[in-house]
Amino acid sequence: MRIGDGLAWFNFNETFGSTLPKQKKAALMPVLPENLVARQVKKVEASLEAASTS
């Protein structure tokens, strides 16, 4: 996610809730719309491409 000059990167850590049953863990995890994630990825890729050509 990019805000101004700041770029935040989030990585899913599979150890979250490792002692919880799969169904309970799934209920706690946020569901992100794929189109939202895809749009954000494209923005980051465009920024990286622009930075590499400057």
Side-chain angles (χ1 to χ4, degrees), residues 4 6 8 10 13 18 20 22 26 28 31 33 38 45-47:
F10 300 92
N13 183 348
S18 60
L20 294 174
K22 232 178 191 179
L28 295 172
V31 177
E45 288 173 340
S47 295

Side-chain angles (χ1 to χ4, degrees), residues 29-42:
M29 294 302 292
V31 177
L32 299 173
E34 286 187 37
N35 64 344
L36 172 65
V37 175
R39 286 194 320 256
Q40 296 305 314
V41 167
K42 284 182 182 181

Side-chain angles (χ1 to χ4, degrees), residues 1-37:
M1 175 184 341
R2 188 176 201 51
I3 299 174
D5 290 337
L7 179 65
W9 178 60
F10 300 92
N11 186 22
F12 176 71
N13 183 348
E14 292 194 31
T15 61
F16 167 80
S18 60
T19 60
L20 294 174
K22 232 178 191 179
Q23 188 176 17
K24 180 73 171 177
K25 185 173 22 173
L28 295 172
M29 294 302 292
V31 177
L32 299 173
E34 286 187 37
N35 64 344
L36 172 65
V37 175

